[in-house]
Amino acid sequence: MPNKNTSQNNNTLIPILIIASLFFVFGFVTWINGALIPFMKTINELTSAQSLLVASASYISFVVMALPASYILGKIGYKKGMSLGLFIMGFGALIFIPAAEARTYWMFLTGIFVQGAGMTLLQTASNPYITILGPIESAAKRISIMGICNKIAGALGSLIFGSLLLSGIDEIQEKLSAVSAVEKAKLLDTMADSVVAPYITMAVVLFVLGILIRKAPLPDVEAAPIETAKEGETTKTSIFQFPHLWLGVLTLFMYVGVEVIAGDTIIAYGIALGFPAADAKFFTTFTLLAMVVTYALGAFLIPKYISQALALKASAVLGIVLSFCIVFSTGFTSILFVAALGIANALVWPAIWPLTLNGLGKFTKTASALLIMAISGGAVIPPLYGKLVDINKIDMLTNGMSEVAATANAATKGYWILLPCYIFILYYALYGHKLGLNKK
């Protein structure tokens, strides 16, 4: 007689591989923002805060589209929803073509937002799907495997787009300060055109994947129902009766903010510290590779050796320690500490999802949409970092500091914004994820 666990593993292997391919896709698309931010800052002549609207445009779509995405999935199902998400992402990639021709920042942001809308549909389907595809106790392990695919793709995307978009950016920036307005416009137009070929290729790949996923064998899965209340007891009738859910949403908001800061600001941070773009383009990869290694470790350790809650506690404490290390160090050492945030961040996402969805039963889909909306932390917190950098730089210049020194010091001090985020994550790991769960 075949082993039940072996049979179950065989039944879930193909769906897991399919979902892993989707995590690869939106990992690639998401983490090219690290290269896009300094690229957009140059071609559109932006401040630090303005350039980080690249992250805002990508992540704010999760607020706008999460509940509509949940409704769409309810109507057409996971498979058609994932296919539609890929088509929407492909359309967003095509918007980069007229945006490059016009060299208009809001058009670029529109393309990024549309791609984010497609990713929202994919995430709203794939995260709860992979969470409830097997036992809740090992959900963090499955999500860790998804995270490995996501971050490997992100590392590749960062390297490929860093090479394509940031090649020669140092020389161009030097020329910009010495040429006429007409020559300056020509240089920037030529630089903007470098996005056309990569985004056409991306669009074609996304459209093809959209067709393929439509034919993929994905079984229907549902969350376990909430236990029926015993006679004389009441049961939960609203998502507002789950305080651990709402705290989980806020925790995920904080987490995505610090994760995006770690991955999307590190290239610009390296350039601010004086490193050439040819070297700085590799820095996002440092962060993502740190995450990949930690994801692999998490997949091995959870839940056999450590619990999801313990992984979250350790991650939060490490994040707090690294936040202090970043702002009290300089040069390449400080960059390595930013990259090391990848270690602190890797297990937060896979731990928050199962801890937050625990015990929600029929409310799981609505809760998943709320968690997807929390990804908007990536739209809010990174621009706050950028604003801190701009404010600190102005203050330092006013006090007589040189342009080079002010740029470097302001970029470093901006990382103070990480500290309150990791403190809140630690609170959720210690207490927040248990609130209300023992009450009927």
Side-chain angles (χ1 to χ4, degrees), residues 3 27 42 113 130 204 278 405 415:
N3 182 279
T42 298
F113 175 83
I130 200 69
V204 171
Y415 285 107

Side-chain angles (χ1 to χ4, degrees), residues 34-88:
L36 278 177
I37 288 168
F39 176 79
M40 293 294 175
K41 185 176 183 181
T42 298
I43 67 170
N44 291 293
E45 301 176 275
L46 308 170
T47 65
S48 294
Q50 289 170 338
S51 68
L52 282 162
L53 290 177
V54 166
S56 295
S58 180
Y59 290 98
I60 201 66
S61 59
F62 290 99
V63 172
V64 177
M65 289 301 299
L67 290 177
S70 182
Y71 174 79
I72 290 169
L73 290 172
K75 289 292 184 181
I76 67 175
Y78 283 123
K79 189 187 297 186
K80 289 181 181 177
M82 292 173 186
S83 179
L84 178 60
L86 289 164
F87 282 125
I88 293 171

Side-chain angles (χ1 to χ4, degrees), residues 327-356:
V327 295
F328 288 115
S329 59
T330 57
F332 191 61
T333 302
S334 187
I335 287 170
L336 289 178
F337 282 130
V338 176
L341 288 173
I343 301 171
N345 292 338
L347 299 182
V348 179
W349 176 279
I352 288 175
W353 271 86
L355 288 174
T356 304

Side-chain angles (χ1 to χ4, degrees), residues 228-235 440:
T228 304
K230 297 177 182 177
E231 188 177 348
E233 293 182 343
T234 59
T235 188
K440 290 289 185 181

Side-chain angles (χ1 to χ4, degrees), residues 265-274 326 329 334-335 338 385 408 411-412 415:
T265 68
I266 191 170
I267 292 177
Y269 182 46
I271 293 172
L273 293 184
I326 292 166
S329 59
S334 187
I335 287 170
V338 176
Y385 163 82
T412 302
Y415 285 107

Side-chain angles (χ1 to χ4, degrees), residues 155-179:
L156 288 173
S158 176
L159 286 175
I160 292 169
F161 275 73
S163 298
L164 292 172
L165 303 184
L166 301 181
S167 178
I169 193 173
D170 298 319
E171 293 78 4
I172 291 172
Q173 286 176 335
E174 288 179 13
K175 289 179 183 178
L176 292 177
S177 59
V179 298

Side-chain angles (χ1 to χ4, degrees), residues 247 251 316 421-433 435:
L247 289 171
T251 303
C421 298
Y422 282 115
I423 289 173
F424 192 87
I425 293 170
L426 180 60
Y427 162 75
Y428 189 73
L430 292 171
Y431 308 109
H433 73 279
L435 287 182

Side-chain angles (χ1 to χ4, degrees), residues 205-338:
V205 171
L206 290 168
F207 287 138
V208 170
L209 286 173
I211 295 169
L212 293 176
I213 205 74
R214 181 68 184 85
K215 301 179 182 298
L218 289 174
D220 291 326
V221 293
E222 294 291 339
I226 298 175
E227 284 185 28
T228 304
K230 297 177 182 177
E231 188 177 348
E233 293 182 343
T234 59
T235 188
K236 302 290 179 68
T237 58
S238 166
I239 57 170
F240 294 104
Q241 294 172 292
F242 296 94
H244 81 286
L245 162 62
W246 296 98
L247 289 171
V249 169
L250 185 53
T251 303
L252 200 70
F253 180 92
M254 298 288 188
Y255 160 67
V256 176
V258 296
E259 183 191 51
V260 172
I261 285 176
D264 284 2
T265 68
I266 191 170
I267 292 177
Y269 182 46
I271 293 172
L273 293 184
F275 290 89
D279 295 333
K281 70 183 181 185
F282 294 103
F283 293 165
T284 293
T285 305
F286 295 169
T287 306
L288 297 178
L289 289 179
M291 295 189 80
V292 168
V293 172
T294 313
Y295 271 130
L297 191 61
F300 173 72
L301 294 176
I302 302 172
K304 187 174 182 179
Y305 298 104
I306 63 172
S307 68
Q308 293 165 155
L310 179 58
L312 191 57
K313 292 172 194 172
S315 298
V317 170
L318 181 58
I320 291 169
V321 172
L322 289 173
S323 298
F324 282 105
C325 291
I326 292 166
V327 295
F328 288 115
S329 59
T330 57
F332 191 61
T333 302
S334 187
I335 287 170
L336 289 178
F337 282 130
V338 176

